[in-house]
Amino acid sequence: MDSKKLGLEIQVNLFKFFFDSDYLHYGYWTPGLEVKAPNFKQAQSAFVAYLLKHIPPHVVSILDVGCGTGKVAEELIEKGYQVTCVSPPGKLTEMAADRLAGKSEVHAVCFEDLKIQQKFDLVLFCESYQYIPMEKTFQQCNELLNPGEFILLADFFQTETPGKSPLGGGHRLKDFCELLSKQPYQIRVDNDITDATAPTMELVNQLTMKVVYPSLLLLDEFLMSRYPLLYKFLRWKFRKKIEKNRIKHFTGQRSPENFKKYKSYRLLLLEKIAKHD
């Protein structure tokens, strides 16, 4: 199983159990909203509201790329939009298809492999852009959008901050900007919302350090007591990966401060044009 896909599926279960949320995205922490677990769902709802207000007025049809559980698509449909979804095969896509049955067509295929004749007013990437090769993303959008239509992208990028980031994921912002400059798109909105999304990492860090890590230590002790030879062999065989994941996930470095240092969370609205200005 693909590790990223597995991670998202685990995240769905954790968010549902601990935060009563079907969303997968970061929260948008408005001033005065305290960063604590009971408020996370409210912050995620604020994120969706912020996203939706940047949809241009004339937009009717939307392609939701990497639709997750289908929760955002469902809200778009409730607002009157015609929504089609595309997401790689897996449990998340099955969940979205069940949620949206009779409301939206869900294509169980990677976005870069999607083959349809339909054109859309807007292609939406809600924290799905980081999983798709950037060149292929633009190639597909060029086929799926008519001139004058839009890409709405909300995701984080890697900054050029020196040093090794303890936080994975995201395309390099510099590479994205260079590629975008060669594409037939005008930037209509480019909002840096890193400060508003970074507090989410405090909850992620707490969940990791106070729930996941102690549970793994208990499992570690159990395996050592029951299967000492096998356990020692596996620890030796995968020692580099184990240490890499320990440093990445279980040293408390997945913090809001490091997120703001090494990541740039952007909301971008791009309008397709016939040619460069």
Side-chain angles (χ1 to χ4, degrees):
M1 178 180 289
D2 179 81
S3 59
K4 291 180 179 178
K5 185 185 296 185
L6 176 62
L8 287 173
E9 292 175 0
I10 292 174
Q11 184 177 320
V12 167
N13 294 327
L14 291 174
F15 278 17
K16 183 65 177 177
F17 182 80
F18 287 101
F19 306 123
D20 187 31
S21 174
D22 290 323
Y23 296 118
L24 274 174
H25 54 260
Y26 279 58
Y28 186 87
W29 298 89
T30 54
L33 183 60
E34 186 178 355
V35 183
K36 60 181 183 179
N39 291 338
F40 184 43
K41 186 176 181 179
Q42 183 179 342
Q44 288 184 301
S45 294
F47 179 95
V48 175
Y50 182 79
L51 185 73
L52 265 58
K53 80 176 186 178
H54 287 90
I55 297 176
H58 76 275
V59 166
V60 175
S61 59
I62 296 175
L63 178 65
D64 185 357
V65 180
C67 60
T69 64
K71 178 64 174 173
V72 173
E74 184 177 54
E75 294 194 26
L76 288 167
I77 293 167
E78 290 173 356
K79 295 287 185 181
Y81 295 105
Q82 299 170 8
V83 182
T84 300
C85 298
V86 55
S87 188
K91 293 185 181 299
L92 279 182
T93 304
E94 293 172 8
M95 189 183 302
D98 289 340
R99 180 189 294 274
L100 301 172
K103 303 176 184 178
S104 170
E105 185 174 6
V106 179
H107 297 275
V109 63
C110 292
F111 174 63
E112 55 267 38
D113 298 323
L114 180 66
K115 304 294 183 185
I116 56 175
Q117 297 300 313
Q118 186 178 357
K119 301 285 187 179
F120 298 91
D121 299 330
L122 184 142
V123 176
L124 173 65
F125 298 91
C126 181
E127 291 185 18
S128 57
Y129 190 77
Q130 61 183 286
Y131 300 108
I132 307 169
M134 291 189 293
E135 295 82 358
K136 293 183 178 180
T137 298
F138 281 113
Q139 289 171 9
Q140 279 288 70
C141 288
N142 291 341
E143 292 295 324
L144 294 165
L145 291 171
N146 289 315
E149 306 305 349
F150 300 89
I151 296 173
L152 181 57
L153 190 165
D155 213 331
F156 59 81
F157 295 84
Q158 300 176 33
T159 66
E160 297 301 304
T161 302
K164 185 174 179 58
S165 171
L167 303 167
H171 297 297
R172 290 179 62 201
L173 183 58
K174 180 180 179 181
D175 294 342
F176 171 78
C177 292
E178 289 178 358
L179 179 61
L180 177 59
S181 69
K182 303 172 184 176
Q183 304 298 321
Y185 292 89
Q186 294 184 26
I187 300 175
R188 292 304 186 194
V189 177
D190 181 3
N191 292 346
D192 185 338
I193 57 172
T194 308
D195 287 346
T197 55
T200 298
M201 293 308 300
E202 180 61 32
L203 298 183
V204 172
N205 202 35
Q206 290 179 14
L207 180 61
T208 301
M209 298 304 296
K210 295 182 179 181
V211 179
V212 178
Y213 190 46
S215 300
L216 289 177
L217 291 177
L218 289 173
L219 178 61
D220 203 56
E221 292 180 10
F222 172 78
L223 293 174
M224 179 61 182
S225 65
R226 290 293 185 92
Y227 313 102
L229 294 179
L230 177 61
Y231 171 82
K232 290 179 180 178
F233 171 76
L234 293 175
R235 290 281 299 187
W236 170 81
K237 179 70 174 177
F238 299 105
R239 61 192 181 279
K240 291 183 179 179
K241 287 189 176 181
I242 291 172
E243 181 60 13
K244 180 180 178 181
N245 279 284
R246 185 192 70 81
I247 294 172
K248 179 179 178 181
H249 297 288
F250 305 121
T251 55
Q253 296 187 67
R254 305 183 76 189
S255 64
E257 293 74 24
N258 277 333
F259 186 83
K260 288 188 280 189
K261 181 178 180 181
Y262 292 103
K263 304 296 182 185
S264 178
Y265 199 118
R266 323 292 292 204
L267 182 139
L268 293 130
L269 180 66
L270 309 176
E271 181 182 1
K272 186 181 178 186
I273 54 178
K275 60 182 179 179
H276 293 290
D277 289 337

